[in-house]
Amino acid sequence: MSLADVASTHGLKRVGARPPLGSYLREAWRRREFIVALAQYRLRASLEGNRLGVLWLVLQPTLNALIYGTIFYFIQRGDDPVQFAAHVVIGVFLFQFFQRSMTQGARSITGNQSLVQSLAFPRITLPVAEVMEELISLLPSIAVLFVILPFLGHWPSLSWLLMVPLLILFTLFNTGIALITARLTVHVRDLAQLLPFIGRLLFYSSGVLFDVNKIFDRYPAVLQLYDFVPIYQVLQMARAALLGGHSYDPMYWLYFSAWSVLTFVVGLLFFWVAEERYGRD
Amino acid sequence: MTERKPVVVVDDLYVTYRVFSSGRAVKKSRGGLLKQSGRGIRAVEALRGVSFIAYENESIGVIGANGSGKSTLMRAMTGLTPPAAGAVYASSRPNLLGVGAALIGDLSGERNIVLGGLALGLTRKEVEELSEKIVDFAELQEFIDLPMRTYSSGMQARLKFAIATIKQHEILIVDEALSVGDKEFRRRSENRIREIRDNAGTVFLVSHSMNSIRDTCERTIWLNRGEMMMDGPTEEVVAAYEASRSEGVGARRNRRAAAREQA
């Protein structure tokens, strides 16, 4: 009897073989507490060295909002600078969630090489934990927004509740992106160097700072294109929900839901296919 | 022999590393050096046709000189190093005793216990129940609220070992982890390894300390230059290994003496 026969008669499986998708996801779900703990603790560890510690989770977005708000209050001289400042601050906060998910997700496997090499667990937990960490640090930003907005004349309204489904979809979208960049970086490390630039490019082209409708009002074809840019859709929907007065095509909800689910599923499959590859040099 | 349940089958395993040689290889023949240029790919055969079966309730020592392929064999068993030929089969994925990589130096020992336990696949509730046992084993009662980076290397090693072994592993690989810590901790960790083995686990112990191997393993595998030299009861294998080492030293000494005489 050959050794391979011995193995198969005793139900031994080849080590390192990729598990089927179903049991892979079940195992990942079983590790959900690990994902949350990893995200929380990493965030805490990154702040704990500071005197003010976790308070920075609130201080950072507040300072960001003050700086962006003040600068863009003065830059935009035309109509209603206060509105414009609020518009920019919402854009910056939400875009940061996307950008950091993308760049941190990219490092989630390559930056945790020793962890991946020593323990057996579904690797998907690592990029998901990165996105979770970014989500946890986004929530205080949103809370800061809720405090600031009434001072700018936007009283709490029912439409603020739309932020909940929007953030769920956005998290799904960002997870898909993080899964894709996580695997790509395993194949091509250089991507981690390139991603910050891609992030900046998207920052300036997704309508974070400038109102796309004003800049491109002479090019309606370009404006139509923007209807299909997922990050632009998120920003517009969030601004409409929080500030009111912004008009957007209600179809954005449908488009962005489709984008989110599609990105997530593609990212999931793309990441899972290479599961055996992670941790190997 | 009674019917024992195999848990790991290593079937004619070959592992080849392909590495970009960043310098020039030292060739045996002189004069060829000038012809070499640029970055070449060298294939290093780290394992050449290793086969064995490991059974339930076994603790197996793995010995051999540096570079004999011990760590490569362990990494191939966890599935992290792909075989060039052959295969490794196992009832569950073998774990390296390496929970240390999941821990964060800036966090307290207490939080690291939670993180490490969750990384091993325990639930939060299970970790909280076992937490006290881990602290006791690591003997860190007074320091458990301090950041882990402030621990001495011995304290860190104790904590990592205590977390890693709290779970009943089916197949556990201990690669040179027992060399840290003092004598008393070594004794207790060897006991812990025997405990894991007795609870239907299989333990592989890679070590250069023949005492650790003798004390914990009844079977030993001796690797030499990627090949299996010997596989059998620890006493016989260790005796043969030690004989070959001292013989090797003796032979080298003789050669040197002969060379001196010639000069």
Side-chain angles (χ1 to χ4, degrees):
Chain A
M1 195 154 84
S2 81
L3 287 173
D5 294 336
V6 173
S8 67
T9 50
H10 287 86
L12 307 187
K13 293 191 188 67
R14 194 169 65 79
V15 164
R18 183 187 64 208
L21 189 59
S23 55
Y24 182 71
L25 289 178
R26 261 196 306 284
E27 183 59 28
W29 175 246
R30 236 175 47 74
R31 303 280 178 138
R32 61 193 180 277
E33 286 177 320
F34 173 59
I35 296 176
V36 175
L38 196 62
Q40 276 178 348
Y41 287 175
R42 283 222 172 119
L43 200 58
R44 189 180 274 277
S46 70
L47 296 172
E48 209 135 75
N50 303 303
R51 249 158 224 268
L52 296 176
V54 197
L55 209 59
W56 276 108
L57 276 181
V58 182
L59 286 177
Q60 267 165 358
T62 310
L63 291 175
N64 258 332
L66 278 176
I67 290 171
Y68 277 102
T70 315
I71 290 175
F72 282 90
Y73 175 87
F74 287 111
I75 283 183
Q76 178 87 354
R77 285 173 185 278
D79 46 318
D80 209 351
V82 172
Q83 289 322 305
F84 187 65
H87 173 101
V88 167
V89 169
I90 294 174
V92 168
F93 282 2
L94 287 178
F95 188 81
Q96 250 180 7
F97 179 32
F98 164 77
Q99 182 170 16
R100 293 192 49 90
S101 299
M102 180 173 76
T103 52
Q104 295 304 109
R107 292 171 211 275
S108 59
I109 300 294
T110 50
N112 289 307
Q113 196 78 344
S114 56
L115 176 56
V116 172
Q117 287 185 346
S118 48
L119 291 179
F121 57 86
R123 309 309 182 199
I124 192 175
T125 48
L126 293 175
V128 172
E130 293 289 354
V131 177
M132 192 65 69
E133 189 180 328
E134 298 310 326
L135 179 64
I136 294 174
S137 52
L138 173 70
L139 294 179
S141 311
I142 301 283
V144 169
L145 267 182
F146 284 176
V147 175
I148 295 177
L149 283 176
F151 290 102
L152 303 178
H154 297 287
W155 296 104
S157 77
L158 273 180
S159 69
W160 284 19
L161 290 176
L162 281 176
M163 286 305 282
V164 176
L166 186 63
L167 283 182
I168 293 174
L169 287 177
F170 200 22
T171 306
L172 206 61
F173 180 79
N174 288 346
T175 309
I177 296 286
L179 288 171
I180 293 169
T181 57
R183 175 173 167 193
L184 285 178
T185 314
V186 169
H187 299 297
V188 189
R189 298 266 170 136
D190 310 54
L191 191 68
Q193 307 299 327
L194 194 63
L195 279 177
F197 297 103
I198 296 177
R200 218 161 299 159
L201 192 69
L202 289 172
F203 182 77
Y204 289 114
S205 61
S206 301
V208 178
L209 299 182
F210 311 107
D211 191 343
V212 172
N213 286 312
K214 279 181 193 146
I215 294 179
F216 293 115
D217 57 353
R218 271 184 261 157
Y219 310 95
V222 177
L223 274 180
Q224 265 179 350
L225 218 60
Y226 266 96
D227 279 343
F228 299 98
V229 176
I231 300 165
Y232 177 70
Q233 291 167 355
V234 181
L235 300 186
Q236 287 307 94
M237 289 190 287
R239 285 161 180 162
L242 294 175
L243 302 177
H246 284 59
S247 63
Y248 69 93
D249 190 346
M251 286 297 276
Y252 275 18
W253 279 99
L254 187 69
Y255 294 153
F256 188 62
S257 305
W259 267 119
S260 302
V261 174
L262 185 74
T263 313
F264 179 72
V265 171
V266 168
L268 181 66
L269 294 175
F270 184 67
F271 186 87
W272 165 73
V273 164
E275 179 77 4
E276 286 185 38
R277 175 71 177 67
Y278 307 132
R280 292 178 178 172
D281 305 305
Chain B
M1 196 162 55
T2 52
E3 179 67 14
R4 292 193 298 171
K5 191 173 171 295
V7 286
V8 180
V9 173
V10 175
D11 183 9
D12 200 20
L13 186 68
Y14 283 80
V15 172
T16 310
Y17 290 117
R18 298 193 161 276
V19 271
F20 284 109
S21 50
S22 47
R24 288 180 184 141
V26 179
K27 277 210 168 173
K28 273 175 190 147
S29 64
R30 302 271 161 92
L33 286 174
L34 284 175
K35 288 175 193 162
Q36 281 194 343
S37 64
R39 304 210 306 171
I41 294 182
R42 280 189 59 191
V44 179
E45 290 193 316
L47 288 179
R48 297 181 288 184
V50 172
S51 299
F52 64 88
I53 300 180
Y55 297 92
E56 211 174 63
N57 290 39
E58 247 187 340
S59 55
I60 301 176
V62 181
I63 57 175
N66 287 330
S68 56
K70 302 184 297 288
S71 291
T72 302
L73 176 60
M74 297 302 117
R75 284 169 54 82
M77 278 170 48
T78 56
L80 291 168
T81 301
V88 178
Y89 305 91
S91 58
S92 72
R93 188 171 167 163
N95 279 311
L96 275 172
L97 185 76
V99 75
L103 309 183
I104 301 174
D106 281 331
L107 293 177
S108 68
E110 210 170 0
R111 291 213 169 94
N112 270 311
I113 289 176
V114 174
L115 193 58
L118 293 175
L120 288 170
L122 300 174
T123 66
R124 197 158 191 140
K125 210 168 142 249
E126 284 170 326
V127 179
E128 271 156 21
E129 283 165 8
L130 292 168
S131 179
E132 205 177 324
K133 227 175 117 188
I134 296 174
V135 177
D136 284 347
F137 191 88
E139 292 178 325
L140 287 170
Q141 290 89 342
E142 321 147 57
F143 307 112
I144 205 64
D145 54 330
L146 296 181
M148 202 179 74
R149 69 184 144 77
T150 61
Y151 293 3
S152 74
S153 56
M155 284 155 78
Q156 288 193 16
R158 291 205 309 257
L159 181 64
K160 286 171 188 173
F161 184 89
I163 298 173
T165 54
I166 200 68
K167 186 185 158 196
Q168 177 57 43
H169 297 268
E170 263 182 76
I171 305 161
L172 180 65
I173 298 171
V174 184
D175 196 341
E176 284 293 354
L178 299 185
S179 47
V180 292
D182 48 28
K183 208 169 174 186
E184 163 64 12
F185 184 72
R186 217 190 84 185
R187 191 186 59 76
R188 282 190 301 133
S189 36
E190 284 171 7
N191 279 340
R192 182 70 195 118
I193 286 176
R194 276 192 284 268
E195 237 173 82
I196 290 177
R197 175 198 65 197
D198 295 341
N199 291 321
T202 303
V203 180
F204 290 87
L205 177 64
V206 180
S207 184
H208 286 289
S209 154
M210 292 305 130
N211 284 334
S212 289
I213 298 269
R214 278 208 188 90
D215 290 348
T216 32
C217 310
E218 64 267 21
R219 176 182 166 191
T220 295
I221 288 170
W222 170 16
L223 291 178
N224 188 34
R225 291 167 177 263
E227 282 171 355
M228 175 85 80
M229 282 293 280
M230 219 175 153
D231 174 6
T234 295
E235 273 314 315
E236 288 173 30
V237 177
V238 168
Y241 175 66
E242 284 182 329
S244 87
R245 303 272 301 188
S246 56
E247 195 179 86
V249 171
R252 271 200 297 279
R253 204 178 289 139
N254 288 343
R255 257 203 312 280
R256 265 205 302 275
R260 261 199 306 274
E261 261 167 43
Q262 267 187 350

